[in-house]
Amino acid sequence: MKDLTLKPIHEKLQPILDTVLHRNAGEPEFHQAAREVLESLGRVINRHPEYSEDALIQRICEPERQIIFRVPWIDDNDQVQINRGFRVQFNSALGPYKGGIRFHPSVNVGIIKFLGFEQTFKNALTGMPIGGGKGGSDFDPKGRSDREIMRFCQSFMIELHRHIGEYVDVPAGDVGVGAREIGFMFGMYKRLNNRFEAGVLTGKGLVYGGSRARKEATGFGTVYFVRSMLNRKGTDFDGKRCVVSGSGNVAIYAIEKVLALGGKVVACSDSGGYIVDENGIDLELVKQIKEVERGRISQYVERRGDGCHYVKSGSVWDVPCEIALPCATQNELTAADAKTLIENGVIVVAEGANMPCTSAAVQQFRKAGIMFAPGKAANAGGVATSALEMQQNASRDSWSFAKTESRLEEIMSNIHDSCHETAEEYSAPGDYVLGANIAGFVRVADAMRAMGVI
Ligand code: NDP
């Protein structure tokens, strides 16, 4: 049955999308990401037909390299476990492939491909010299001991190490991969290569080459982006009710920056359910439960006492708010959630996660005139700060938190302006989706055109 929420695509681009769908059968997330970008490009090729020459757009939709490998490891019960590892090196026109590694049971090649595709345009938007890639495994870290995590990360790197390098491909963390996992992987990479190549991974611990503010960067950056959107409308965070989904790395630091800018966060979630605290979320308690104890968000209510409650399963988007920051996972905010948010008076939705809103949800926000920031723009602060980490590693320097954060602030403001100005240039004022897709595309496409058909 025809999906009526889908927008028509330019006649020159439809065959390209058809090929993507055919060639990547069974990969709905990649189809969704490719369709969204191609939907935006019609206006570009009408104005600049040269971008549709030499199969440039077809090449952009095809990863340069895809690596799939076996990851055997031994659990605490002495049993051999087998997982599957992935690295999709999508596009290196602007610099070494760059993008995180995700450990989650839902990971498959289609998810990694969608993330790598998005990453290519996101990295271009930062204005920094980094290409796009993504990796991961269907390994589930939940409930695993530190030793099991270490053995898994070591086995993963025994294969991955031959495909990466500071001038080749620079992975970082993502869902299920934080400083602990990066440390184990860096240790194994260093041993296998017999060189201290600090710039091969980002998100490292501070003592061995990590950057200050990297941990905070994605969440902080998302909130800086929203601040720019609000400022453009003559308002700010002051006193506004916010809801953030997730309670992982991105969510926690988005909450921290919303609070610092005067907003009030009343709800957040994890994969089990959500909490509502009308007194405002106690961030230190969330950090203790999720970052330190690696526990469940439901424990918040037991410890915090009166004035808050936990809803098992359900949708955090039922909680009324003016600012919604989906920071958990892809397709977590549906058309029904978008309708509820609009009815409840939301004014801004910004994707801290990668593609957390379904296509139908995005359509609803755009139709209702809600300010909407796509992930490839709003959450680019993480990878931008990773690029700053690479810069510090290359110059054997270590910047202060304040210096790094002020660079992040400047980069987010530039990304906002570039999306906004590009949308205006292409006669779609206020359309950040179109602005982000076109601004990112043009930068990658210009580099590819300069390099010929490769
Ligand atoms: P984490 O693993 O640190 O946190 C993910 C959070 O989302 C956890 O709280 C998890 O709950 C929750 N979650 C997962 N699925 C659901 C669901 N269906 N409903 C509600 N909550 C859910 O990951 P990150 O914070 O690093 O990443 C979050 C998103 O941001 C991802 O899309 C990632 O790709 C994107 N991103 C991350 C960047 C980074 O620098 N880390 C950079 C740019 C984008 P539980 O604890 O139960 O697992």
Side-chain angles (χ1 to χ4, degrees), residues 102 142 174 176 214 218 247-250 271 290 296 328 354:
R102 175 178 292 191
K142 276 209 185 78
D174 190 72
R214 173 61 189 91
T218 309
S247 47
N249 174 260
V250 179
S271 57
K290 297 301 287 189
R296 310 305 305 155
N354 284 312

Side-chain angles (χ1 to χ4, degrees), residues 11 20 160 171 175 181 203-204 306 345 349 404 416 421 451-452:
E11 58 184 23
V20 168
L160 188 69
V175 173
E181 292 74 17
K204 299 182 292 296
D306 292 346
V349 180
T404 319
H416 170 273
E421 285 157 18
M451 293 177 196

Side-chain angles (χ1 to χ4, degrees), residues 32 243-246 269 314-319 321 323-342 346 348-366 370-373:
Q32 184 181 341
V243 168
V244 177
S245 64
S269 62
S315 170
V316 72
W317 308 117
D318 289 344
V319 182
C321 63
I323 298 174
L325 304 178
C327 296
T329 191
Q330 63 271 2
N331 291 329
E332 49 146 315
L333 196 162
T334 63
D337 295 323
K339 186 164 174 282
T340 309
L341 282 165
I342 295 166
V346 76
V348 180
V349 180
E351 296 187 320
N354 284 312
M355 211 169 73
C357 300
T358 64
S359 304
V362 177
Q363 291 281 80
Q364 294 218 28
F365 292 134
R366 290 166 87 184
I370 307 296
M371 287 189 273
F372 175 79

Side-chain angles (χ1 to χ4, degrees), residues 401-416:
F401 194 97
K403 173 172 173 170
T404 319
E405 195 189 352
S406 97
R407 289 281 285 118
L408 167 68
E409 234 180 307
E410 189 189 334
I411 291 165
M412 293 314 297
S413 163
N414 290 342
I415 296 175
H416 170 273

Side-chain angles (χ1 to χ4, degrees), residues 248-375:
N249 174 260
V250 179
I252 283 176
Y253 293 96
I255 296 174
E256 184 165 311
K257 191 49 80 180
V258 169
L259 299 181
L261 296 182
K264 183 177 182 186
V265 181
V266 290
C268 68
S269 62
D270 68 12
S271 57
Y274 66 90
I275 53 166
V276 184
D277 188 342
E278 286 296 340
N279 296 318
I281 295 286
D282 177 346
L283 182 61
E284 289 315 308
L285 183 54
V286 173
K287 281 187 180 174
Q288 176 64 27
I289 294 168
K290 297 301 287 189
E291 282 192 327
V292 181
E293 299 168 21
R294 297 178 193 272
R296 310 305 305 155
I297 201 68
S298 55
Q299 295 164 257
Y300 179 95
V301 174
E302 294 147 29
R303 298 204 210 164
R304 174 84 158 155
D306 292 346
C308 60
H309 64 277
Y310 174 67
V311 180
K312 192 164 181 275
S313 307
S315 170
V316 72
W317 308 117
D318 289 344
V319 182
C321 63
E322 294 159 282
I323 298 174
L325 304 178
C327 296
T329 191
Q330 63 271 2
N331 291 329
E332 49 146 315
L333 196 162
T334 63
D337 295 323
K339 186 164 174 282
T340 309
L341 282 165
I342 295 166
E343 282 167 4
N344 286 338
V346 76
I347 54 170
V348 180
V349 180
E351 296 187 320
N354 284 312
M355 211 169 73
C357 300
T358 64
S359 304
V362 177
Q363 291 281 80
Q364 294 218 28
F365 292 134
R366 290 166 87 184
K367 215 164 104 198
I370 307 296
M371 287 189 273
F372 175 79

